[in-house]
Amino acid sequence: MIRAFHTFPRGFLWGTATASHQVEGDNRFNDWWDWERQPGRIAEGHHSGKACDWWGGRWQEDLDRAAADGQNAHRLSIEWSRLEPEPGRWDSSALEAYRSILQGARARGLSPILTLHHFTNPAWLNGVGGWPDPATPARFASYVRKAVEALQDLVDTWITINEPTVYAYAAYSAGAFPPGERNIGRALQVMRNLILAHAMAYHTIHEIQPQAQVGLSHNYRGMAALHAWHPLERFLAGFRSRVYNDLIPMAVHDGRLRFPLRRETMPQAARTQDFLALNYYTCESVAFDLRARGELFGRSVYPPGSDVSPTGFIANRPEGFWQALVWARRFRLPILIAENGIEDQTDGIRPRYLASHLRQLWRAVNFNWNVRGYLHWTLVDNFEWERGWTQRFGLWELDPSTQERRRRPSADLYAQICKANGLSSEMVAAFAPEAFDSLFPQRGPGAVAFEPPA
Ligand code: FCB
């Protein structure tokens, strides 16, 4: 058997990523709490409920798990609605609770990366106009000021807003997130306000903490025509990709907003990233479909024969991760992989997904591209938004009714990777033998196909 070791740079960050609403539980003051109680909003009528009970203190045992498995970083988010449950009323006990979690992470050797907005808002925000309202970026910035002033001694890496494009689309065009609007014009307006909010947050954080590292997390999703010969599909794939993948990253890079029918200059948004936080899950093909008006007439599909996750949500496309890295590199910033993972209750795909994605990441670090770390989504199964508990992204399985955790084989694989600071052929042979030949191809005389251990 061929033997190889894909090593990562010294000091590389290995960890997992979580988001407040998905793990904390009892988030009564945010816009999801009531939304989850409206019929038809969440798959199978699920609720976040206690989630992973982090607010009840189970963050301690979960961060113990992360640290024991060799991780040295953790990405988490804080809830604006806990800090400011009513407009202008600040709850210092919530800040204290977050201080304990951040101190706990650091005490375990996990460098915290803190997200300030991960899809949820205080419930009161929609009542005053929500994200389409021109005053909301300043509302967000005043929350950011409170948070950063109180937490700056514990955090030096901040992600202002998670996946602004996904949020704007899901909440204002697809209607899947609260407030459930279906209006693409409003979604574009929200994207604009999210860029302004990010820019204000960026400048606010640097004013308080000049040496801070501040970024924005982008969900990159490669898009190609389903039929390469189809000119309309090729046009649509390119058009959708420019809106989905490029619009916000370009605006925070050069301060120019390139909406399909309108251009605008926003000098305050230029150069407002100290690093590029990249979330990558999959890539898609675009099929022309006149019924898909809200998606600009392109329906997103996975080509027949794709290696898909149990609910069909994610296709295992490691080459798309490479494409995402090539895309990210053109911004000439340090890159942090802020999310990557797959939903997989039985852990049948996850080991090969993990190994084959890390293989692509290794190609990048092997060229000395400035990649700082990899944060797997996620540590323990959590509440997956409108998909409720139907999708399981955890290295650890969770039974939300008992709070019992069970280790999946992927947790063992990831622990070996983190501890060794790299991926070895032995790990792949043991955890994902079916992917061995594609990860370690042998060519030429004497090459033998890999035989999985009996
Ligand atoms: C990302 C979100 C994260 C999680 C994963 C599966 O888009 O940022 O909260 O739901 O998808």
Side-chain angles (χ1 to χ4, degrees):
M1 177 180 104
I2 192 171
R3 293 172 69 115
F5 187 76
H6 290 345
T7 192
F8 281 72
R10 216 172 286 137
F12 196 76
L13 297 176
W14 292 107
T16 48
T18 54
S20 48
H21 186 69
Q22 296 179 271
V23 295
E24 287 178 356
D26 283 331
N27 258 313
R28 291 163 198 277
F29 300 116
N30 76 21
D31 52 351
W32 277 76
W33 195 256
D34 282 342
W35 176 259
E36 289 167 20
R37 275 149 192 81
Q38 296 171 19
R41 298 297 192 192
I42 312 292
E44 300 182 15
H46 288 164
H47 295 165
S48 54
K50 290 264 170 222
C52 308
D53 196 24
W54 275 29
W55 205 250
R58 283 186 210 264
W59 61 269
Q60 306 187 45
E61 52 169 288
D62 286 340
L63 295 188
D64 283 345
R65 294 183 170 97
D69 281 349
Q71 298 175 30
N72 60 12
H74 186 75
R75 175 180 172 213
L76 68 163
S77 76
I78 60 173
E79 276 288 318
W80 179 0
S81 62
R82 289 200 193 271
L83 265 56
E84 193 181 6
E86 291 164 30
R89 181 169 75 77
W90 301 95
D91 182 350
S92 56
S93 69
L95 274 170
E96 276 313 310
Y98 284 125
R99 283 191 66 80
S100 306
I101 299 177
L102 291 164
Q103 280 158 346
R106 290 168 67 104
R108 289 166 176 78
L110 302 168
S111 298
I113 291 127
L114 198 67
T115 309
L116 292 155
H117 185 277
H118 198 126
F119 295 165
T120 54
N121 299 297
W124 54 261
L125 189 70
N126 284 327
V128 296
W131 277 102
D133 186 58
T136 293
R139 294 183 179 110
F140 177 68
S142 72
Y143 144 69
V144 169
R145 179 174 293 281
K146 285 275 177 202
V148 177
E149 279 172 354
L151 306 174
Q152 56 174 314
D153 58 322
L154 299 172
V155 180
D156 51 29
T157 307
W158 305 86
I159 293 176
T160 55
I161 300 174
N162 179 68
E163 299 183 348
T165 310
V166 172
Y167 170 73
Y169 174 75
Y172 289 91
S173 179
F177 288 5
E181 291 192 24
R182 289 172 188 271
N183 178 335
I184 202 156
R186 295 263 285 174
L188 293 175
Q189 194 181 338
V190 167
M191 278 169 85
R192 180 178 180 277
N193 282 346
L194 290 167
I195 297 166
L196 293 171
H198 160 78
M200 287 175 100
Y202 179 90
H203 296 299
T204 302
I205 299 170
H206 275 289
E207 183 195 314
I208 301 167
Q209 195 186 9
Q211 76 289 6
Q213 293 288 300
V214 185
L216 172 67
S217 60
H218 305 287
N219 181 301
Y220 183 92
R221 195 174 164 101
M223 295 174 185
L226 179 63
H227 307 98
W229 52 264
H230 200 308
L232 204 52
E233 285 185 349
R234 283 212 303 273
F235 167 79
L236 282 172
F239 178 71
R240 278 161 51 99
S241 178
R242 277 194 296 285
V243 175
Y244 188 91
N245 292 315
D246 297 333
L247 198 134
I248 289 190
M250 287 302 292
V252 297
H253 173 69
D254 64 7
R256 288 166 60 200
L257 183 59
R258 298 161 176 88
F259 276 148
L261 301 172
R262 186 161 65 88
R263 303 279 144 124
E264 186 180 336
T265 308
M266 298 174 156
Q268 70 275 43
R271 292 178 303 282
T272 52
Q273 292 185 107
D274 303 319
F275 65 97
L276 191 131
L278 176 64
N279 296 0
Y280 173 80
Y281 287 90
T282 193
C283 53
E284 66 179 38
S285 300
V286 177
F288 175 60
D289 185 348
L290 272 176
R291 288 162 303 178
R293 193 162 164 267
E295 295 172 78
L296 309 173
F297 304 109
R299 198 162 34 83
S300 148
V301 294
Y302 295 133
S306 297
D307 183 23
V308 292
S309 64
T311 71
F313 191 60
I314 287 171
N316 178 19
R317 299 284 300 274
E319 76 286 4
F321 190 28
W322 173 253
Q323 187 194 341
L325 288 159
V326 170
W327 168 86
R329 185 171 170 255
R330 57 177 200 195
F331 295 98
R332 297 184 186 284
L333 292 168
I335 297 168
L336 174 70
I337 307 307
E339 287 180 31
N340 171 247
I342 190 163
E343 50 99 10
D344 184 10
Q345 166 70 34
T346 59
D347 216 37
I349 297 184
R350 190 177 289 103
R352 68 173 172 273
Y353 179 97
L354 177 58
S356 53
H357 282 72
L358 288 179
R359 152 60 169 252
Q360 298 299 327
L361 192 59
W362 170 78
R363 286 176 68 195
V365 302
N366 207 29
F367 287 131
N368 284 324
W369 294 6
N370 194 354
V371 184
R372 297 285 168 84
Y374 172 87
L375 304 168
H376 188 77
W377 185 274
T378 185
L379 182 56
V380 176
D381 287 343
N382 64 21
F383 178 75
E384 278 296 337
W385 308 113
E386 80 284 14
R387 286 111 44 209
W389 296 95
T390 63
Q391 293 185 347
R392 303 309 185 100
F393 278 84
L395 295 171
W396 289 74
E397 184 181 348
L398 171 77
D399 178 345
S401 66
T402 60
Q403 286 297 323
E404 197 189 318
R405 276 99 168 128
R406 213 153 8 110
R407 202 175 168 85
R408 292 194 168 104
S410 288
D412 293 329
L413 169 59
Y414 194 51
Q416 290 193 13
I417 292 166
C418 297
K419 289 179 181 172
N421 195 29
L423 175 74
S424 71
S425 48
E426 287 84 351
M427 295 174 197
V428 176
F431 290 95
E434 73 283 10
F436 194 93
D437 284 336
S438 68
L439 288 184
F440 303 104
Q442 295 180 73
R443 299 206 174 85
V448 278
F450 173 72
E451 292 281 346

